[in-house]
Amino acid sequence: MSGESIAAATGDILEVAGLSRNFGAIAAVADLSFKVREGEVKAVIGPNGAGKTTLFDMIAGVTAPSSGRITLAGERIERMPAHKRVDRGIGRTFQTLQIFTEMSVLENVVVGHYPRGHSGWVNALLRLPSGLSEERREREHAMALLERVGLADRANDRAGDLSFGDRKLLELMRALATGPRLLLLDEPAAGLSHAGAERMMEIVAELNADGLSVLLVEHNMRMVMNLSHDILVIGNGRFIAEGTPDAVRTNPDVIAAYLGEDEDA
Amino acid sequence: MDGTNTLVQLVIAGLSIGSIYALIALGFNIVFKCTGAMNFAQGEWVMMGGMVTAALFGVFSSVGLAVVTATVLIGAIGLVSERITIWPVRRPDPMTLTLVTVGLAIVSRSLVMIFLGKMPAGYSGFSGTDVISIEGVTVQTQSLWIIAITLLFLVLMHFFFERTVLGKALRAVSADPQAASLVGIPSSQMLMLAFGLAALAGGIAGAIVTPLTLMTYDQGATLGFKGFSAAMLGGIGNLPGAVVGGLLLGLIETFGSFYISSHFKDAISFAVLLLILFMRPAGLFGRVEVVKA
């Protein structure tokens, strides 16, 4: 049913079909199917424990699905290791930040460049002399990304010394440095001030305007409603509803799911 | 004047043996940072560095060529060892990996014994003359080679970790393997690289120390233990700490054996090690941190 609610299959960047994940007897995600169109921002919302993070983990390659298919731009990826999926164009940020705190701000972004132009480290070792000019080039590219979010003047600081909001921006830029086609954002506004959340929203909107497809998990409804072209609602790992922000807002099943759980969302 | 000369000689001797310990400690730390495991094969790579260089010296009759070929070979052995012993481990927690490296050490030692024999192996130093005298100070030329080559290697390693994307990727994996894989860094390949670098450091140490000490197939464990002590002294997992720990251990050992007794050489260095660890359990530069599985 979910599949049909989306328009023609042309230009789907991501297709999830019949995806399930069981932890023991509990189905964290059960038979979930949806698509993300090229250039679209799609939000996944649902009460806590709905299976959003498990879903992200399966798409990024942290958790293997119990069954189902994940297709990125026509290529099946559900059995691929995480780093190869990054290579194929999946970028991700985390609900709980995972930056390299002991490395500099700039190095965090440079490291994100790794997959590109590196067909393997043996190759990289053999090209070490040219790798030095390559490193310089990648530093410049990384600086450009930092400038985009106003972190250029902090480039040589230890990443762990940044404020929480800046660390979130850094993590986003690191994900961007991997050259993603689809960005998975796990609660980008969580823990941010109102101004910080607005800023994050603007940046994501800009990235999307540049053509980047986004899959977004977020509890901040203002952000979800403003950014999303399409919203998928799940509860207990199962499909509840899917549609435009307006359609979802008035959907009785969605209202029931949220009221029933009495969530903070 | 005589006292000063003795002092200078002891410092140079201490720094050269300390350089060897620093290289071994560096190898320990690189693997520890990436796996959380103690690599018991580290010392065997040092032993192999000496044994293989000696064997190749018999073929090439050029020390320089033998040393370079042997260290590259030991580095490659490190890579292969990771692929056939560490990589297949399904649940790579630090304790399991540590035990695997114990097995790797025993196999490495046995293979060297079978193929290269039980006889002590050695070769001449890198310079034509064994000792030189500068201003009345007599110095073994090989000691100077050891210090210089170690310094060069450390500079190159620093350059690699700080100035190349590959080096940064390796640091990222050692900081957080999962986050690294989610920015596209293949953790498993980086682990292989870490083993290769650790073996390279060990191989160099063995290749440059053998002209002074000779080498036998069963010396790896002792050398590994010394390097491990140096790593503990500097703070396990701390790369600059490995260098300071190694040099310090070398100096303590040399001065201890000169002023007290060479019989107690090892006892003195381990007593100092214990003392420091009692006072600073995480080592001189270590910070207590959670070990990642």
Side-chain angles (χ1 to χ4, degrees):
Chain A
M1 147 169 198
S2 58
E4 287 84 334
S5 72
I6 284 188
T10 52
D12 290 326
I13 182 76
L14 183 78
E15 186 182 353
V16 168
L19 200 64
S20 301
R21 170 69 208 199
N22 306 317
F23 292 107
I26 299 157
V29 170
D31 194 25
L32 212 54
S33 300
F34 65 92
K35 293 172 180 177
V36 180
R37 275 167 296 169
E38 191 95 53
E40 170 181 65
V41 176
K42 179 153 208 150
V44 182
I45 63 169
N48 281 337
K52 303 182 296 277
T53 296
T54 306
L55 174 65
F56 262 34
D57 282 348
M58 285 192 284
I59 298 172
V62 178
T63 305
S66 302
S67 61
R69 290 195 312 271
I70 304 170
T71 311
L72 181 75
E75 187 182 12
R76 294 275 294 273
I77 60 165
E78 72 268 6
R79 296 286 162 218
M80 229 180 239
H83 67 89
K84 286 213 175 118
R85 298 190 200 196
V86 178
D87 203 36
R88 298 296 194 278
I90 287 190
R92 178 185 186 178
T93 67
F94 297 84
Q95 186 182 345
T96 52
L97 283 167
Q98 293 203 4
I99 57 167
F100 305 112
T101 53
E102 295 302 323
M103 297 171 80
S104 78
V105 169
L106 185 65
E107 283 174 335
N108 264 274
V109 182
V110 169
V111 153
H113 283 283
Y114 181 82
R116 288 189 301 180
H118 286 265
S119 49
W121 61 262
V122 177
N123 225 338
L125 265 189
L126 294 177
R127 294 184 299 115
L128 261 188
S130 67
L132 294 177
S133 60
E134 180 185 336
E135 198 254 4
R136 202 166 308 129
R137 211 163 46 241
E138 287 175 2
R139 283 159 76 95
E140 280 163 20
H141 189 169
M143 274 311 268
L145 286 172
L146 289 176
E147 267 160 29
R148 188 165 186 169
V149 291
L151 284 175
D153 54 332
R154 305 292 306 270
N156 294 314
D157 293 356
R158 194 177 151 270
D161 291 340
L162 292 181
S163 71
F164 182 76
D166 283 346
R167 274 184 273 164
K168 290 208 103 156
L169 292 175
L170 172 60
E171 199 192 31
L172 180 62
M173 289 306 112
R174 186 184 64 185
L176 219 53
T178 66
R181 308 166 70 177
L182 172 70
L183 204 51
L184 307 180
L185 300 179
D186 198 350
E187 302 202 24
L192 293 182
S193 65
H194 180 74
E198 291 290 311
R199 177 91 191 289
M200 182 63 82
M201 197 162 88
E202 276 168 29
I203 292 168
V204 175
E206 269 175 36
L207 295 176
N208 177 244
D210 291 349
L212 195 60
S213 312
V214 178
L215 189 62
L216 171 75
V217 163
E218 184 53 65
H219 282 296
N220 179 328
M221 279 305 142
R222 194 179 129 67
M223 188 167 190
V224 169
M225 293 301 167
N226 274 326
L227 283 178
S228 314
H229 303 107
D230 208 50
I231 299 177
L232 170 72
V233 189
I234 61 177
N236 292 324
R238 287 170 178 78
F239 176 89
I240 292 179
E242 189 173 31
T244 62
D246 283 333
V248 162
R249 214 192 311 247
T250 53
N251 185 311
D253 292 336
V254 175
I255 294 165
Y258 270 91
L259 291 183
E261 297 273 343
D262 194 24
E263 269 300 321
D264 56 340
Chain B
M1 188 60 201
D2 233 17
T4 322
N5 287 357
T6 308
L7 205 65
V8 173
Q9 283 174 23
L10 285 177
V11 166
I12 290 174
L15 288 180
S16 71
I17 191 67
S19 297
I20 299 300
Y21 297 158
L23 287 173
I24 307 171
L26 200 69
F28 266 111
N29 279 347
I30 291 171
V31 169
F32 177 81
K33 277 196 75 104
C34 292
T35 62
M38 286 299 147
N39 175 20
F40 274 79
Q42 185 64 47
E44 305 305 325
W45 291 331
V46 182
M47 176 273 293
M48 285 169 147
M51 296 297 286
V52 173
T53 304
L56 289 176
F57 181 54
V59 181
F60 299 149
S61 24
S62 150
V63 182
L65 193 57
V67 166
V68 172
T69 316
T71 41
V72 170
L73 208 61
I74 305 303
I77 286 172
L79 299 176
V80 174
S81 299
E82 192 278 339
R83 272 302 103 150
I84 60 182
T85 64
I86 302 296
W87 187 62
V89 176
R90 291 174 64 95
R91 279 165 21 97
D93 58 278
M95 185 49 82
T96 310
L97 293 185
T98 300
L99 291 175
V100 169
T101 67
V102 173
L104 176 61
I106 295 169
V107 172
S108 307
R109 188 182 317 154
S110 309
L111 287 176
V112 170
M113 188 191 76
I114 291 167
F115 288 106
L116 299 178
K118 292 184 174 183
M119 295 302 290
Y123 37 91
S124 55
F126 301 169
S127 302
T129 47
D130 281 349
V131 291
I132 48 169
S133 197
I134 312 162
E135 305 273 334
V137 181
T138 310
V139 179
Q140 283 184 297
T141 52
Q142 189 61 20
S143 294
L144 300 178
W145 278 107
I146 289 175
I147 295 170
I149 290 172
T150 302
L151 203 64
L152 179 68
F153 183 73
L154 293 178
V155 168
L156 287 176
M157 287 295 273
H158 179 79
F159 203 71
F160 172 74
F161 279 115
E162 297 293 327
R163 282 281 170 270
T164 67
V165 180
L166 190 60
K168 285 172 189 177
L170 191 57
R171 281 166 59 206
V173 169
S174 72
D176 189 338
Q178 181 177 312
S181 75
L182 289 170
V183 295
I185 302 167
S187 302
S188 141
Q189 286 181 27
M190 288 298 129
L191 196 56
M192 183 173 162
L193 179 61
F195 270 75
L197 286 175
L200 191 68
I204 289 175
I208 61 181
V209 79
T210 299
L212 286 184
T213 61
L214 299 185
M215 191 65 76
T216 45
Y217 77 97
D218 58 357
Q219 252 176 301
T222 317
L223 285 163
F225 199 52
K226 285 288 177 61
F228 173 70
S229 304
M232 291 293 289
L233 197 57
I236 191 83
N238 183 314
L239 298 186
V243 178
V244 178
L247 295 179
L248 207 57
L249 194 67
L251 287 171
I252 292 168
E253 200 175 285
T254 309
F255 275 83
S257 59
F258 184 80
Y259 285 110
I260 304 173
S261 161
S262 59
H263 291 298
F264 297 122
K265 187 177 84 170
D266 292 346
I268 294 162
S269 32
F270 288 126
V272 172
L273 175 70
L274 285 178
L275 207 64
I276 290 175
L277 291 183
F278 283 143
M279 292 184 293
R280 289 188 61 90
L284 291 173
F285 302 95
R287 283 177 306 158
V288 181
E289 56 184 335
V290 180
V291 173
K292 289 198 188 69

